[in-house]
Amino acid sequence: MTKPFTIGLIQMRMAQDVDANLAHACEMLEAAAKKGVQVACLPELFRSPYFCKSEDPSVFDLAENIPGKTTETLGKLADKLGMVIIASLFERRTAGVYHNTTVVFDADGKDVGKYRKMHIPDDPLYYEKYYFTPGDLGFKAFDTKFGKLGQLVCWDQWYPEAARLTAMQGAHALFYPTAIGWHPAEKAEFGKAQADAWEIVQRGHAIANGIYVAACNRIGFEPSPDGGKGIEFFGNSFIADPFGRILAKATSDKEEIITAICDPKLQEQIRRWWPFFRDRRIDAYGGITERFGK
């Protein structure tokens, strides 16, 4: 059985300068290694402010090839630190085809695979359908030196089907690089409920699948390009165990590295007590492929 390993989530604030963000992320990854982190995850699209607040074709200039400059930098760092690194990037597949993509680097620096975000939102200030082609690689879990790691991204957090299909590939933990926040005008009335719902649904995935869940968010207010409405990213990055218990949780407004131990032995024990995978009625779920009823 896989030995316990230490997860670290890098909750950070993004500057306008993409190179500065990459350098800062590398500094925080180095700090995480000193804390004993073996598997580290960065927030969604960490190289820049969250650019989906408006629809602007010039933003496609931020997209990068995979492999490319960022993957080369992070691969070398993973090798240097002996750490698995999970990084969310704006992928340029070809002119006119772009993805929200997570790349996983093993502890020897090798790229072990990528996951392209499957669920793409389109809401006020979250105009992702303009920028991202829906993922076409399916749901993914990758073998690494320390364990098998499932990859999902932000809006995927709300879908139990995504968590289930990824967990069914044998993942020890599900990682969700994230960029989620409040519309400031709504915060007083709905802010707590929104943040609670985001956390609770993911803790539910942990329980329903007997798996560790790690959600890594950004922080800080980021205005819209026109200087008007923006988003206050609410942090609260957390790691939950297969009981849904919070093992570590960040604040809503500070850069932090939070850590917790992922113990596959606990996963084994809980799945013996609560054998949800055994009792699934796979013969009765055909309707899940329908949009809504008949």
Side-chain angles (χ1 to χ4, degrees):
M1 186 180 293
T2 300
K3 296 178 181 178
F5 56 92
T6 300
I7 292 170
L9 302 185
I10 311 298
Q11 179 169 288
M12 57 184 284
R13 186 186 308 272
M14 288 25 165
Q16 290 295 326
D17 187 318
V18 295
D19 291 330
N21 289 327
L22 178 58
H24 185 43
C26 289
E27 290 170 357
M28 294 191 75
L29 289 166
E30 296 248 15
K34 291 176 182 176
K35 293 167 69 81
V37 170
Q38 295 165 298
V39 177
C41 181
L42 293 161
E44 182 182 20
L45 303 170
F46 73 94
R47 286 186 68 250
S48 70
Y50 181 74
F51 50 80
C52 303
K53 297 186 291 295
S54 64
E55 297 181 355
D56 179 356
S58 70
V59 169
F60 289 109
D61 291 341
L62 290 173
E64 56 188 310
N65 295 326
I66 298 176
K69 174 186 173 182
T70 300
T71 57
E72 180 181 357
T73 298
L74 293 176
K76 288 179 179 177
L77 185 61
D79 183 35
K80 172 187 170 183
L81 301 177
M83 174 194 285
V84 173
I85 296 175
I86 299 164
S88 169
L89 303 174
F90 185 16
E91 179 189 9
R92 181 189 186 278
R93 188 170 179 180
T94 189
V97 181
Y98 306 85
H99 296 280
N100 188 332
T101 299
T102 295
V103 183
V104 181
F105 303 92
D106 210 343
D108 60 0
K110 291 181 180 174
D111 173 348
V112 295
K114 63 186 176 184
Y115 165 75
R116 290 173 174 151
K117 185 174 180 177
M118 293 283 278
H119 299 94
I120 311 296
D122 186 65
D123 291 310
L125 302 183
Y126 292 90
Y127 301 115
E128 294 197 12
K129 280 184 166 61
Y130 179 79
Y131 293 101
F132 306 129
T133 302
D136 57 358
L137 299 176
F139 298 105
K140 294 287 186 179
F142 301 106
D143 286 308
T144 71
K145 177 180 179 180
F146 301 112
K148 194 161 191 177
L149 311 177
Q151 304 304 308
L152 293 163
V153 178
C154 201
W155 193 235
D156 293 328
Q157 287 159 335
W158 302 93
Y159 296 87
E161 302 90 342
R164 176 76 83 201
L165 289 169
T166 307
M168 284 172 59
Q169 296 180 46
H172 298 108
L174 299 180
F175 287 85
Y176 292 94
T178 301
I180 189 169
W182 295 302
H183 295 182
E186 297 179 353
K187 183 180 176 181
E189 184 175 1
F190 299 112
K192 184 178 186 304
Q194 291 170 344
D196 285 350
W198 172 77
E199 179 184 299
I200 291 166
V201 74
Q202 293 179 87
R203 292 170 68 184
H205 299 332
I207 296 165
N209 293 288
I211 197 168
Y212 287 83
V213 166
C216 185
N217 197 14
R218 63 172 66 199
I219 58 163
F221 176 76
E222 297 182 11
S224 296
D226 60 6
K229 295 177 181 178
I231 302 172
E232 180 186 347
F233 293 96
F234 60 56
N236 287 299
S237 301
F238 71 91
I239 303 168
D241 76 2
F243 268 130
R245 297 175 296 193
I246 298 294
L247 301 180
K249 184 173 179 178
T251 62
S252 64
D253 59 357
K254 293 185 178 67
E255 291 194 319
E256 296 180 61
I257 300 166
I258 63 167
T259 70
I261 293 173
C262 175
D263 186 356
K265 228 183 238 190
L266 178 64
Q267 181 183 44
E268 177 83 17
Q269 184 180 54
I270 290 174
R271 285 186 178 178
R272 291 178 184 183
W273 293 341
W274 289 345
F276 300 139
F277 280 15
R278 181 196 69 190
D279 294 342
R280 293 178 63 241
R281 286 296 305 274
I282 58 175
D283 59 317
Y285 297 153
I288 201 70
T289 61
E290 300 291 331
R291 179 62 65 187
F292 182 82
K294 291 286 188 183

